[in-house]
Amino acid sequence: MILLTRRATFSASHYYWNPAWSEEQNVATFGRCANRQGHGHNYTLEVTVNGEVDPVSGFVVDLKWLKDVIEHEVLDVYDHRHLNHEVPEFASTIPTTENIAIAVWKRLEVPVKVAGGAKLSRVRVYETNDIFADYLGETDGASA
Amino acid sequence: MILLTRRATFSASHYYWNPAWSEEQNVATFGRCANRQGHGHNYTLEVTVNGEVDPVSGFVVDLKWLKDVIEHEVLDVYDHRHLNHEVPEFASTIPTTENIAIAVWKRLEVPVKVAGGAKLSRVRVYETNDIFADYLGETDGASA
Amino acid sequence: MILLTRRATFSASHYYWNPAWSEEQNVATFGRCANRQGHGHNYTLEVTVNGEVDPVSGFVVDLKWLKDVIEHEVLDVYDHRHLNHEVPEFASTIPTTENIAIAVWKRLEVPVKVAGGAKLSRVRVYETNDIFADYLGETDGASA
Amino acid sequence: MILLTRRATFSASHYYWNPAWSEEQNVATFGRCANRQGHGHNYTLEVTVNGEVDPVSGFVVDLKWLKDVIEHEVLDVYDHRHLNHEVPEFASTIPTTENIAIAVWKRLEVPVKVAGGAKLSRVRVYETNDIFADYLGETDGASA
Amino acid sequence: MILLTRRATFSASHYYWNPAWSEEQNVATFGRCANRQGHGHNYTLEVTVNGEVDPVSGFVVDLKWLKDVIEHEVLDVYDHRHLNHEVPEFASTIPTTENIAIAVWKRLEVPVKVAGGAKLSRVRVYETNDIFADYLGETDGASA
Amino acid sequence: MILLTRRATFSASHYYWNPAWSEEQNVATFGRCANRQGHGHNYTLEVTVNGEVDPVSGFVVDLKWLKDVIEHEVLDVYDHRHLNHEVPEFASTIPTTENIAIAVWKRLEVPVKVAGGAKLSRVRVYETNDIFADYLGETDGASA
């Protein structure tokens, strides 16, 4: 069982707001994150894949390829963007750290399998140094 | 399977000493850590919970609530304290990194379940940058 | 010569835009930072003061006091805010890392001198891990 | 389930080259890593063991012992070395991050079991801050 | 002007207490740091020297030698110790970050000059990631 | 006085060897670094410039431009290279951290002045987390 991880970063704005709620309820639930002017973070992303080590190249996947996939599928869409206003999946889903991790998984799962011949194993998103979410897919959670 | 982690820090003193042993045996086993004047660390704590993402809030748990729980249940008792002399669970248990991780788990498991509606998944304690322990509860160790 | 530094963090949104310029000129100069939806960062702030060590307390300044001053004068105004839209000094000044460092200096210089009895020596602002600005005041640049 | 991890670092040179391939094929696959003058990294190694906490010592394993084992079995052989030319297991295996993780596992598994009375759980190797591989042994991958 | 820096760490206990004051005054001034059971930190030390680059060796000073000097003069005395009770210079001086930086300077200035042929330029002590003190000696503060 | 810093990294091999010396003298002076197979590091570079903040752009220099200059002048020559064998300035100068800092200064001083309109203020090179050199140019050392 071998896992290979590549880290990347992006800077984006967001805010937390449930349009079905009153302003009072939003502020009560989300605190300062409900400020609709938005605030932002330097997000750090860790993308982990697993597979067999190719005996010829010594690679699970080509890390240069993995970097490019992350850039094309995620960073080009998220970096220097306002997540609520400019990223389709957050038009109606609140861009919490948990939901960002799930959204990144959805963007990467197929390319990693089809083009990379590997299995997406974990997506970790750090919102700050002190907060991060891990999404492991709709599996039985057996590997982390 | 989604995991959410919050990090916190505390500064505390400790030493390693088994009262059933002679001084020689303590020094032979624990080296410089057996100095009963104590020494200290900046501990870093990572508390990981898992659960479902609430479709309304986008949260597994409210991170502000999780921060408060960690402060009330752990930091208020451990921070700026001498673990051997001032923290009940270390009166008769040596405060190794392993035992601190288990003790933090015991302090957090019930509040995370009862008040947070989530499941404690992992407690990681860094004693230094180079040493850390993970406690996963009395499970089959299937998730980390 | 003794310098004492306290670090703090805040998360904010910003964009770069000169209203005297056309959109083309803004994009040519500021690239992705000219996106007026804004993007954001986890800023890290380092505030350095110098003075004499009080022989009674062993302090240059009381670090708890310094933390409170940074919170009241800077973090309460900047954290979880959109710098361009919500912070007065950036209504007509572009919130580059350089200008943020200067603005933080202006907010802290008098309180550090009057209430703290010390001299502000340096303000460092990290926009990301890889970019930071230092402002040393309108001195001859003799200390950094 | 308790896991204990010790981190260590070593500095080494390597390059990627498959002697069965032409120079063109090596450069196409490995890019700048195919430069046979070699280049190098500060590798960071995390060695994780699991076991029971000894109720007398509070230890899963003695961390001083674990540090010594890592030094003798890995660092003495890898640190300040050219992996391709001086480390036997890389004479015919390309020293990718994946293969280094597997090789470190093979060096440590028996000593950790026989002399340490614990079970090697994970070997993580960071090649840079942004790239790391985890090897979990030939298990069912249930714990990480 | 070339500066060379070596970092080292030590773990120690301390507390803040002025024996000329009442308990009330100590707690009012030092807060949780006045707890006489002590608490502790992982201190990080940065020792900076300046001098000429030796054209034959390419060294300002031999970093292995500098490491040994720091170990013998500082770490052997401070590491895994209670600073107030076991380190002579803190018997009557409160071990604040500022005073530790000055004390390390006094321990290193002569060996760096006499045995190393270089000039001690700066001692930085981190008490935590967020707090550090720099001592530059009794100079005019021209270099930092 | 405003300083702006950009960080970059490169991975390279090197060894320490003075051809005027015997092997014994090289090993006695340079220890494991004298291994002529070479070893390597992930170097981190910090390039600091100073100047006036342009009131129109808010920039001391354009950080995108500074990044490009560092890439063209330094990284394209040093990254994934063997410094002793492939970088001209180290053909007859030992690539110590000190000498790398000076060499990077020489590569950047003129472009920063001529094309950037700013003044190179400091080049810092980290060989590892624990070792770094700062070169401030042939100034009087007044700013660091």
Side-chain angles (χ1 to χ4, degrees):
Chain A
M1 178 70 163
I2 187 104
L3 303 163
L4 188 63
T5 299
R6 178 116 212 173
R7 204 175 273 177
T9 60
F10 62 94
S11 298
S13 277
H14 74 161
Y15 60 81
Y16 292 173
W17 189 267
N18 183 332
W21 290 347
S22 66
E23 176 153 4
E24 287 69 24
Q25 199 170 354
N26 275 290
V27 170
T29 305
F30 297 126
R32 295 176 307 170
C33 295
N35 173 9
R36 298 181 79 181
Q37 297 281 2
H39 66 280
H41 298 288
N42 302 323
Y43 290 94
T44 298
L45 186 61
E46 286 183 4
V47 176
T48 302
V49 304
N50 68 59
E52 299 296 314
V53 178
D54 180 319
V56 177
S57 68
F59 289 171
V60 170
V61 296
D62 180 340
L63 283 165
K64 175 72 175 62
W65 171 85
L66 183 56
K67 185 186 180 190
D68 288 345
V69 169
I70 296 170
E71 281 180 6
H72 296 156
E73 301 294 333
V74 183
L75 305 193
D76 285 355
V77 189
Y78 288 16
D79 189 33
H80 281 66
R81 296 291 176 185
H82 193 303
L83 300 179
N84 303 61
H85 298 161
E86 298 184 278
V87 176
E89 56 260 46
F90 302 119
S92 58
T93 304
I94 299 175
T96 58
T97 317
E98 296 92 315
N99 279 334
I100 297 172
I102 294 170
V104 171
W105 178 283
K106 288 180 181 167
R107 287 180 170 273
L108 292 176
E109 188 178 18
V110 171
V112 164
K113 181 184 262 171
V114 173
K119 196 173 160 303
L120 190 58
S121 180
R122 192 188 69 177
V123 169
R124 175 174 288 188
V125 176
Y126 287 85
E127 185 184 273
T128 66
N129 262 352
D130 292 337
I131 292 171
F132 58 89
D134 293 293
Y135 186 59
L136 312 178
E138 296 183 354
T139 69
D140 56 4
S143 69
Chain B
M1 179 71 162
I2 188 104
L3 303 163
L4 188 63
T5 300
R6 177 118 212 170
R7 206 175 271 179
T9 60
F10 61 94
S11 297
S13 278
H14 73 162
Y15 60 80
Y16 292 173
W17 189 268
N18 184 332
W21 290 347
S22 67
E23 176 153 4
E24 287 67 26
Q25 198 171 354
N26 274 291
V27 170
T29 304
F30 297 126
R32 293 176 309 169
C33 295
N35 173 8
R36 297 181 80 181
Q37 296 282 1
H39 65 281
H41 299 287
N42 302 322
Y43 290 94
T44 298
L45 186 61
E46 286 183 3
V47 176
T48 302
V49 305
N50 69 58
E52 299 296 314
V53 178
D54 180 319
V56 177
S57 68
F59 288 170
V60 170
V61 297
D62 179 341
L63 283 165
K64 175 73 175 62
W65 171 84
L66 183 56
K67 185 186 181 192
D68 288 346
V69 168
I70 296 170
E71 281 181 7
H72 296 154
E73 301 295 332
V74 182
L75 303 193
D76 285 355
V77 188
Y78 288 15
D79 190 35
H80 281 67
R81 297 292 176 183
H82 193 302
L83 299 179
N84 303 61
H85 297 160
E86 299 184 277
V87 176
E89 57 260 45
F90 302 119
S92 57
T93 304
I94 298 176
T96 58
T97 316
E98 296 92 314
N99 279 334
I100 297 172
I102 294 171
V104 171
W105 178 284
K106 289 181 180 168
R107 288 181 169 273
L108 292 176
E109 188 179 18
V110 171
V112 164
K113 180 183 262 171
V114 173
K119 195 172 159 306
L120 190 58
S121 180
R122 192 188 71 177
V123 169
R124 176 174 287 189
V125 176
Y126 287 85
E127 185 183 275
T128 67
N129 262 353
D130 292 338
I131 292 169
F132 58 89
D134 292 294
Y135 186 59
L136 313 178
E138 295 183 354
T139 70
D140 56 3
S143 70
Chain C
M1 178 72 162
I2 188 106
L3 303 163
L4 188 63
T5 299
R6 178 118 211 170
R7 207 175 271 178
T9 60
F10 61 94
S11 296
S13 277
H14 74 161
Y15 60 80
Y16 292 173
W17 188 267
N18 183 333
W21 290 347
S22 66
E23 176 152 4
E24 288 68 25
Q25 199 171 355
N26 274 291
V27 170
T29 305
F30 297 126
R32 295 175 306 170
C33 295
N35 172 10
R36 296 180 81 181
Q37 298 279 4
H39 65 281
H41 300 287
N42 302 322
Y43 290 94
T44 298
L45 186 61
E46 286 183 3
V47 176
T48 303
V49 304
N50 69 59
E52 300 296 315
V53 178
D54 180 320
V56 177
S57 68
F59 288 172
V60 170
V61 296
D62 179 341
L63 282 165
K64 175 73 175 61
W65 171 84
L66 183 57
K67 185 185 181 191
D68 288 346
V69 168
I70 295 170
E71 281 181 7
H72 297 154
E73 302 294 333
V74 182
L75 304 193
D76 285 355
V77 189
Y78 288 15
D79 189 34
H80 281 66
R81 298 289 175 185
H82 193 303
L83 299 179
N84 302 61
H85 296 160
E86 298 184 278
V87 177
E89 57 261 46
F90 302 119
S92 58
T93 303
I94 298 174
T96 57
T97 317
E98 296 92 314
N99 279 335
I100 296 172
I102 295 171
V104 171
W105 177 284
K106 288 181 182 167
R107 287 180 169 272
L108 292 176
E109 188 179 18
V110 171
V112 164
K113 181 185 262 172
V114 173
K119 197 174 160 303
L120 190 58
S121 180
R122 192 188 71 177
V123 169
R124 175 173 288 188
V125 176
Y126 287 85
E127 186 184 274
T128 66
N129 262 353
D130 292 337
I131 292 171
F132 57 90
D134 292 294
Y135 186 59
L136 313 178
E138 295 183 354
T139 69
D140 56 2
S143 69
Chain D
M1 178 71 163
I2 188 104
L3 304 163
L4 188 64
T5 301
R6 178 117 212 171
R7 206 174 272 177
T9 60
F10 62 93
S11 297
S13 277
H14 73 162
Y15 61 81
Y16 293 173
W17 188 267
N18 183 332
W21 290 347
S22 67
E23 175 152 5
E24 288 68 24
Q25 199 170 354
N26 274 292
V27 170
T29 305
F30 296 127
R32 295 176 306 171
C33 295
N35 173 8
R36 297 180 81 180
Q37 296 282 1
H39 64 281
H41 299 288
N42 302 322
Y43 290 94
T44 298
L45 186 60
E46 286 183 3
V47 176
T48 302
V49 304
N50 70 58
E52 299 296 314
V53 177
D54 180 320
V56 177
S57 69
F59 288 172
V60 170
V61 296
D62 179 340
L63 282 165
K64 174 72 175 63
W65 171 84
L66 183 57
K67 185 185 180 191
D68 288 346
V69 168
I70 297 170
E71 282 181 6
H72 297 153
E73 301 294 333
V74 182
L75 304 193
D76 285 355
V77 188
Y78 287 16
D79 189 34
H80 281 66
R81 297 291 176 184
H82 194 302
L83 299 178
N84 303 61
H85 297 159
E86 299 184 277
V87 176
E89 56 261 46
F90 302 119
S92 57
T93 304
I94 299 176
T96 58
T97 317
E98 297 93 315
N99 280 333
I100 296 172
I102 295 170
V104 170
W105 178 284
K106 288 180 181 167
R107 287 181 170 272
L108 292 176
E109 188 179 18
V110 170
V112 164
K113 179 184 262 172
V114 173
K119 195 172 161 305
L120 190 58
S121 180
R122 193 188 70 177
V123 169
R124 175 174 288 188
V125 176
Y126 287 84
E127 186 185 273
T128 67
N129 262 353
D130 292 338
I131 292 170
F132 58 89
D134 292 294
Y135 186 59
L136 313 178
E138 295 184 355
T139 69
D140 55 4
S143 69
Chain E
M1 178 71 161
I2 188 105
L3 303 163
L4 188 63
T5 300
R6 178 118 212 170
R7 207 175 270 177
T9 60
F10 62 93
S11 297
S13 278
H14 74 161
Y15 60 80
Y16 292 173
W17 190 267
N18 183 333
W21 290 347
S22 67
E23 176 153 4
E24 289 68 24
Q25 198 171 354
N26 273 292
V27 170
T29 304
F30 297 127
R32 294 176 308 171
C33 295
N35 173 9
R36 297 181 80 180
Q37 297 280 2
H39 65 280
H41 299 287
N42 302 321
Y43 291 94
T44 299
L45 186 61
E46 286 183 3
V47 176
T48 303
V49 303
N50 70 59
E52 300 295 316
V53 178
D54 181 320
V56 177
S57 68
F59 289 171
V60 170
V61 297
D62 179 340
L63 282 164
K64 176 71 175 64
W65 172 85
L66 183 57
K67 185 185 181 192
D68 288 346
V69 168
I70 296 171
E71 281 181 7
H72 297 154
E73 301 294 332
V74 181
L75 304 193
D76 285 355
V77 188
Y78 288 16
D79 189 35
H80 281 66
R81 297 292 175 182
H82 193 303
L83 299 179
N84 303 61
H85 297 159
E86 298 185 278
V87 176
E89 55 261 46
F90 301 119
S92 57
T93 303
I94 299 175
T96 58
T97 318
E98 297 93 313
N99 279 334
I100 296 172
I102 294 171
V104 170
W105 177 284
K106 288 181 181 167
R107 287 181 170 274
L108 292 176
E109 189 179 18
V110 170
V112 165
K113 180 184 263 172
V114 173
K119 195 172 159 306
L120 190 58
S121 181
R122 192 187 70 176
V123 169
R124 175 174 287 188
V125 176
Y126 287 84
E127 186 184 275
T128 67
N129 262 352
D130 292 337
I131 292 171
F132 58 89
D134 293 293
Y135 186 59
L136 313 178
E138 296 184 353
T139 68
D140 57 3
S143 68
Chain F
M1 178 71 163
I2 188 103
L3 303 163
L4 188 62
T5 300
R6 178 117 212 171
R7 207 175 271 178
T9 60
F10 61 93
S11 297
S13 277
H14 74 162
Y15 60 80
Y16 293 173
W17 188 267
N18 184 333
W21 290 348
S22 66
E23 177 153 5
E24 287 69 23
Q25 198 171 355
N26 274 291
V27 170
T29 304
F30 297 126
R32 295 175 307 170
C33 294
N35 173 7
R36 297 181 80 179
Q37 297 280 2
H39 65 280
H41 300 286
N42 302 322
Y43 290 93
T44 298
L45 186 60
E46 286 183 3
V47 177
T48 302
V49 304
N50 69 59
E52 299 296 315
V53 178
D54 181 320
V56 176
S57 69
F59 289 171
V60 170
V61 297
D62 179 340
L63 282 164
K64 175 72 174 62
W65 171 84
L66 183 57
K67 186 185 180 190
D68 288 345
V69 168
I70 296 170
E71 281 180 8
H72 297 154
E73 302 293 333
V74 182
L75 304 192
D76 285 355
V77 189
Y78 288 15
D79 189 33
H80 281 65
R81 297 291 176 184
H82 193 303
L83 299 179
N84 302 61
H85 297 160
E86 297 184 279
V87 177
E89 56 261 47
F90 302 119
S92 58
T93 304
I94 298 175
T96 58
T97 317
E98 297 93 313
N99 279 334
I100 296 171
I102 294 171
V104 170
W105 178 283
K106 288 181 181 167
R107 287 181 169 273
L108 292 176
E109 188 178 19
V110 170
V112 165
K113 180 184 262 171
V114 173
K119 196 173 160 305
L120 190 57
S121 181
R122 192 187 71 177
V123 169
R124 176 174 288 188
V125 176
Y126 287 85
E127 186 184 272
T128 67
N129 261 352
D130 292 337
I131 292 171
F132 59 90
D134 293 293
Y135 186 58
L136 312 178
E138 296 183 354
T139 69
D140 56 3
S143 69

